[in-house]
Amino acid sequence: MLLRGRSRLVRHLDPQKSQHVFFSVFPALSSSKNVIPTIPVPELQDSSTIRTFQPQSSRPPSSRKQIFLEPRETFNRNFNSRIEDIKSSGLENPIESKSMTFIESEVDIDEASPERLIGIIDKFKPAVAEVNRMRFRSIQQELEKAFSQQQLASYLEQNYSKVEFANSRRSTRRVSKKKLAQRIINDIWGIKVNSKLTETSDLITKKTVPLSDLDIFLIRSNRRLLHWLSSNGCRIKLVKDKKELEISGTTSQVSNVEVNLIEFLRQSEKQELNLTDIKHLFQEKYGRFSLEKVAGYTDVFFKDVGNDIYEVHSQTPHQVERLKRLLLWSLNYNKHSNEVITLPEEPEKKQLFPFKDELSLSWNNRRQPLFTLKDCGSSRSETNHRLLSDLQRYDDANMNIDAEIPNKENDSEVDTIIKDEDAPILSQNKINDIYDQLYDFDYRKNLISLETTSSPVFTISLGNILFEGEQQETKSAMSKLFPTPPELSETTKFKFNSNVQLVADKALSLPIHSTSSTSGSDVLDDIFRDERYKNSVQITFLPSLFVEDNKDIKMEDLTKFQPVELWVDLKHNMTPDMDTLQLVTVEGENTNYVSLPSFKSDLKVSCQLSGNLLQEKGELAQDFELSIDDILNSQADRYTRFKSQPGLGGFLSRSKLDFQEETSISPYIDLNINGDIVRYRFISMEFRKKLSFDFNGREVQYNMVEGGNLGGRKVEVLFVGDMALDASGEERKRFGQLMNDAVSFVSEL
């Protein structure tokens, strides 16, 4: 038998044949490997040593005294102890007792109990009901060689006492071993001799292995597992409906597959998660709790053991960490934010259109009915059309003496139309209401916050508000094709998508910020040629709501902690520039979503307060008093400012932030928040390429955001407000100017 890679040969007495069989034992297969490993299964590795002959005299070896040992004295006890460890490990594997056939042959049969003796002899039973005459004799001879006459007779008597064998009961006294073996094969096992079977038909063994739901899940989660197991020449078929694994091949091939499959299932990860608090927070925020959506993005098997405790199984520990991450991401429980929506007048007269660009959304916002609000039949569109028709009468082709001169009535109509066009999209009262809502951070009084925060920062992001449709209980194809739109109100659930093509195209046509000579198509050439763009990474963390992570903090207090973001710029070689690393808290974020159905884009108006978790080192007041040794032994500021957060160093050492190669992020970080050590969980990471444009003297940020398979890929266009409060008290006026600039940009689309 030709096997791929190196293998270790295990010798055992095959109950199906009359000779000793050597078969290869491959190690358990891992999903991260694309070749069969060459290290044997540890439990099957023979650690005993073979002593080589070292002649100590001049006499030839044949003349030296030889000692012959009984098989029991040469028994490999180390191997047997390893097998016993496997059996005593408490593995709940339905195929284990049927897979380790060769292991029982190592047991001392003379000392086996009657109950265990039955199990040992039963393992010599072939998997087929009919054999040819040669195979029948082979099985008979194996029974004669492996067991004594008393053991075979005891096996028959114990089975004859059962009801199903009452009609076959015969005396076992003074019966030869040959006759006893034949009775076992015929009476107990029901094996018949079929003369039509050829000798080669016995070379192929077919075996059906029952599987549990967990076994099927783990096998299907590793797509290449069955291919690897069948690389030794056997055929394997997973019958999901019957929960069986069909294996066809030689006896050694089938045994090989079973041993490796057991080892693969043994290496699976198993953890228990207490989701009591998380379930309560899900129901509080969304009114329901379900693991179905999270399970679709993880290779994790859930088993509810009661009291909101779940037993999770996965192929690797990484999948369990991914599960925890997605649970917190989907929950997104954040008391440091406040969101409201400003709907247009008479929203019921507008139309809702399905949204289909799911790749620009994060994973938790996909696979659900979403709609955009548009005013397709507005009087504004009709007015523009009438104005264009009237102005076309004054083009060059119509400017002649015979042309009809518009009368005073027509002139007044045109003036009225233009006057309507100049009417503000948002009234000053509406802008004042938005400002009051954004500047209200009174809810922070009952939350955990840093003592020192930055000044409020206003930003406006362009995009579309996506309203959530009604979730259909029936999953029919018709309901998915034509989802039911929602009834709009201030309580309607919604999302926001910044990926609007017209907005991105308009932004790229603007001049570069602080540069008036570059615009239009030259921008695309300059983005990747000059240093006018900046690459950065944003990593988001949320307080871990799992009981085992923050045992010393009550859940009521844990939900009061703020989100944390890590920002760092990237060098030209796509590695982090540690001098630019910032660890900031989102102390408060108020957002007002302004719906503008008559335009191509809506507005996401935000005001954010942030805090700095890395204490900056102040300049030394008396540098001249430092000695040379003190100066040489002093640390740079970029290292000393990390001392306030010792957990940051551990997070960076466990992570690999190299964006030219494979990037890995540690699943958690321990942070010092007002003296409390809180474990935060990694939620998401976004790679950003930023370029600043100029619109009427205001900075407009164009961000290409890559969030991976989970975060989505999108474009963000941001209007940035002032970074500090105006001492003259004209903050409201400056906010109004920011709103007018954004509305003016949208009206030009």
Side-chain angles (χ1 to χ4, degrees), residues 407-547:
N407 53 27
K408 184 176 181 180
E409 181 180 357
N410 291 335
D411 287 340
S412 62
E413 182 180 0
V414 174
D415 292 340
T416 303
I417 295 172
I418 296 177
K419 185 176 181 180
D420 292 338
E421 291 293 319
D422 294 336
I425 299 175
L426 295 174
S427 64
Q428 187 61 42
N429 292 334
K430 181 66 70 176
I431 294 177
N432 290 337
D433 293 340
I434 295 175
Y435 176 84
D436 294 336
Q437 182 266 327
L438 295 178
Y439 211 77
D440 184 11
F441 292 99
D442 290 341
Y443 58 84
R444 296 178 58 242
K445 296 179 180 179
N446 299 324
L447 303 178
I448 297 176
S449 304
L450 298 183
E451 296 180 359
T452 305
T453 60
S454 63
S455 300
V457 178
F458 290 95
T459 59
I460 298 179
S461 177
L462 306 184
N464 290 133
I465 300 175
L466 307 178
F467 298 93
E468 294 186 20
E470 298 180 4
Q471 295 287 347
Q472 300 290 337
E473 296 182 359
T474 59
K475 298 182 179 180
S476 61
M478 188 62 65
S479 62
K480 292 181 179 180
L481 186 61
F482 301 102
T484 304
E487 295 182 2
L488 296 184
S489 66
E490 294 182 354
T491 59
T492 303
K493 296 180 180 180
F494 61 89
K495 314 291 182 184
F496 186 80
N497 176 42
S498 63
N499 208 47
V500 181
Q501 187 61 41
L502 290 177
V503 173
D505 294 343
K506 174 66 176 178
L508 289 175
S509 66
L510 299 175
I512 297 294
H513 187 57
S514 301
T515 303
S516 59
S517 60
T518 305
S519 62
S521 60
D522 296 335
V523 172
L524 297 178
D525 298 333
D526 291 340
I527 287 180
F528 297 98
R529 184 179 59 194
D530 297 341
E531 296 184 359
R532 293 170 179 168
Y533 67 92
K534 181 174 67 174
N535 293 325
S536 62
V537 172
Q538 175 190 3
I539 302 177
T540 304
F541 303 92
L542 287 177
S544 177
L545 302 178
F546 296 99
V547 178

Side-chain angles (χ1 to χ4, degrees), residues 207-239:
K207 191 166 187 178
T208 301
V209 179
L211 300 174
S212 65
D213 293 335
L214 173 59
D215 296 332
I216 295 176
F217 177 84
L218 293 175
I219 292 174
R220 289 172 61 89
S221 63
N222 191 333
R223 299 179 181 178
R224 295 187 177 183
L225 175 64
L226 297 182
H227 174 72
W228 286 332
L229 291 176
S230 60
S231 60
N232 64 352
C234 65
R235 297 184 61 182
I236 304 176
K237 181 181 179 181
L238 178 63
V239 185

